[in-house]
Amino acid sequence: IYYFKYVEGNENLFAFFSGVIIVPSIVGAALFPLVFRWTNNKGWAAAVFSVLMGGSMVLLYSFSPTQSPVPFYVLAALAQFFFSGFNTAIYAIIPDCVEYGEWKTGIRNDGFQYAFISLANKIGMALGTSLLALFMGWAGYVPNASQSELVQQVIHHGFSTVPGILWIITAFIMLFYRLDRKKYNDIVRALRERKA
């Protein structure tokens, strides 16, 4: 909302923006099984979604909802589309980690895994918001006032390029996920044999 209020000068655009990204958000999640089938690895599927989301967000910086609304909203919709695919991939990875953990240690910790993901999300949101506030304060942000060019740039980059670059880095990290379908099936089979 800071972007629409201080960079674009119209915070009411945020409501329209939020509406535009709802449908792609729903549809993007449905694409995960296809990408997983193609990559044969949930981490790599997440990487595909992550790099495409990052690219969409970096490109988003070059467009404005007032001066170039079509490319702006198309890129915003694509970013949300890819985000939903990524999010689905991450939540599909958690059960794999539970099985892997049980196979390695003999301890099944479903609750811990889901709680840890929830905690990590909360920490990430808190850190992201705090860092943005810190940089805005450093740049001279004044609430409910006309902002300097520097503050507008901090907000603009915080809305698009910075998260975009972080998503591209995330894609690279996800390539190290080695638990493909074959390894996962082997682990599940070994667990069944152990229990039998």
Side-chain angles (χ1 to χ4, degrees), residues 5-81:
K5 182 174 183 177
Y6 296 118
V7 178
E8 297 299 335
N10 184 356
E11 62 186 298
N12 294 326
L13 289 171
F14 180 70
F16 182 73
F17 172 81
S18 299
V20 165
I21 63 176
I22 288 174
V23 173
S25 174
I26 296 165
V27 178
L31 189 66
F32 165 71
L34 297 173
V35 179
F36 174 49
R37 204 171 301 130
W38 173 57
T39 61
N40 206 30
N41 181 309
K42 292 176 185 175
W44 294 359
V48 169
F49 286 115
S50 188
V51 76
L52 291 171
M53 182 185 179
S56 300
M57 293 191 77
V58 168
L59 288 173
L60 192 62
Y61 179 83
S62 302
F63 301 99
S64 160
T66 53
Q67 296 169 12
S68 47
V70 172
F72 177 86
Y73 286 112
V74 165
L75 286 167
L78 282 173
Q80 190 63 29
F81 176 83

Side-chain angles (χ1 to χ4, degrees), residues 88-118:
T88 305
I90 289 300
Y91 280 96
I93 284 171
I94 299 170
D96 293 5
C97 296
V98 171
E99 305 288 356
Y100 178 81
E102 184 181 4
W103 174 67
K104 274 298 237 194
T105 66
I107 300 167
R108 189 169 185 87
N109 59 0
D110 311 51
F112 173 79
Q113 297 273 2
Y114 283 99
F116 183 80
I117 289 291
S118 179

